[in-house]
Amino acid sequence: MFRFILIMIGLVLFLLVTIPIQLIMLIVRLFSKRASACASLTIVSGAFHLLKFIAGTKVTYRGLENVPKDEAVLYVMNHRSYFDIITTYPKAKRPTGYISKDGLAKVPSLSWWMRLLGCGFMDRKDIKKGLQTINESAEKIKNGFSITICPEGTRNKTNDPLMEFKGGALKIAEKAGCKIVPVVCNGTDEVWEKQFPKIRPTKVLVEYLPPIDVGAMDKAQRKGLTDMVHKCMWDCYVRNDQERKESAKQGK
């Protein structure tokens, strides 16, 4: 419970204390969106590193070599915890925005940071607004800003490795003609969600799978894209979950 209190205090202080910095970033943004996004990336990544430290979360990263260094991509990530973002964002090597539920757009300071980072807000109840977010995200990728989307649409609270992907979730990659990098997080829900509100020191495994070049696919191949990405992420989650269980039995 002590860790939870520390993290809540830390979050509130960060969002309040950094308001002047946000104003500076907005001014910088008038001259260079990239410079503003890069500076914001550094600041927020530092805050997330601190949150991981307070939570006692130890993360093993695999497959970082699969992330293209010279181009923007669409990260497709499973979603079991708020810590999915906290553990993956510090590994972003270029400005990267996350597609989030539209409710967060109403949260002061937090939503301002998200906009500075290039995040988008998805209204799944309004098809027209949802399509607009997809189109805007595709344009961001074309302009060199990576995007992360969780195609399950919400946190997976089931016992299944993945839930069904929402229709159209991968349209961003098709419209941008970019590569998809699947990202699979194992163990993030054990940090907090499984014993809410307590936060437990946990070993988390994050794996970046080989990129899928959507731009090189023909129309027929793209029809099976969602199933392809879902299967490779499902298989990875199952494999890594088994590895974590065996490691826990051996006391590693």
Side-chain angles (χ1 to χ4, degrees):
M1 193 66 178
F2 180 67
R3 293 177 187 271
F4 172 75
I5 294 172
L6 277 181
I7 285 181
M8 291 299 103
I9 291 174
L11 277 173
V12 172
L13 287 176
F14 175 79
L15 293 176
L16 291 176
V17 172
T18 58
I19 289 177
I21 298 176
Q22 292 174 341
L23 296 176
I24 294 173
M25 291 299 101
L26 287 172
I27 294 173
V28 173
R29 185 181 173 87
L30 294 175
F31 301 93
S32 173
K33 288 185 178 180
R34 176 167 292 278
S36 174
C38 287
S40 299
L41 168 65
T42 300
I43 294 168
V44 173
S45 292
F48 283 172
H49 275 303
L50 180 59
L51 292 180
K52 285 193 299 178
F53 175 77
I54 295 173
T57 306
K58 296 182 179 179
V59 189
T60 298
Y61 296 96
R62 287 181 181 167
L64 286 170
E65 69 278 2
N66 289 322
V67 181
K69 296 180 175 60
D70 56 353
E71 59 186 294
V73 300
L74 176 68
Y75 294 102
V76 177
M77 185 172 70
N78 67 316
H79 191 26
R80 303 190 75 90
S81 169
Y82 291 116
F83 270 78
D84 297 331
I85 300 170
I86 292 173
T87 56
T88 58
Y89 198 78
K91 286 300 177 180
K93 299 302 181 184
R94 61 168 58 238
T96 302
Y98 282 64
I99 302 299
S100 174
K101 57 185 179 182
D102 61 330
L104 291 180
K106 301 174 184 177
V107 182
S109 188
L110 174 61
S111 62
W112 303 340
W113 272 120
M114 293 177 72
R115 288 187 172 91
L116 285 169
L117 294 167
C119 295
F121 301 96
M122 179 71 76
D123 185 348
R124 296 195 177 277
K125 296 180 181 179
D126 189 319
I127 296 177
K128 186 175 181 180
K129 288 183 179 179
L131 181 59
Q132 181 180 345
T133 299
I134 289 174
N135 290 333
E136 290 174 351
S137 298
E139 285 301 313
K140 289 175 183 177
I141 292 177
K142 290 178 181 179
N143 290 323
F145 292 76
S146 291
I147 293 292
T148 300
I149 190 168
C150 300
E152 294 167 288
T154 187
R155 282 179 294 155
N156 181 6
K157 300 176 183 178
T158 74
N159 292 323
D160 292 332
L162 292 175
M163 295 191 297
E164 183 179 355
F165 285 179
K166 299 296 183 181
L170 307 187
K171 285 292 184 182
I172 296 173
E174 294 185 35
K175 290 179 176 292
C178 68
K179 293 176 181 176
I180 287 176
V181 176
V183 184
V184 180
C185 302
N186 285 74
T188 48
D189 53 345
E190 296 174 16
V191 178
W192 186 37
E193 279 81 358
K194 285 190 174 181
Q195 63 280 331
F196 177 85
K198 295 181 180 179
I199 290 178
R200 185 180 70 180
T202 305
K203 292 181 180 179
V204 171
L205 177 57
V206 178
E207 183 164 352
Y208 294 77
L209 301 179
I212 300 169
D213 191 352
V214 178
M217 290 181 168
D218 58 33
K219 191 173 182 179
Q221 290 173 319
R222 290 187 179 188
K223 285 185 178 180
L225 179 61
T226 297
D227 290 339
M228 177 198 307
V229 176
H230 190 277
K231 184 179 187 306
C232 74
M233 292 177 66
W234 179 290
D235 292 344
C236 179
Y237 185 92
V238 171
R239 181 176 66 251
N240 289 344
D241 187 53
Q242 184 61 36
E243 179 182 326
R244 291 180 71 249
K245 289 178 180 177
E246 292 177 356
S247 179
K249 288 180 181 179
Q250 297 172 7
K252 293 182 180 181

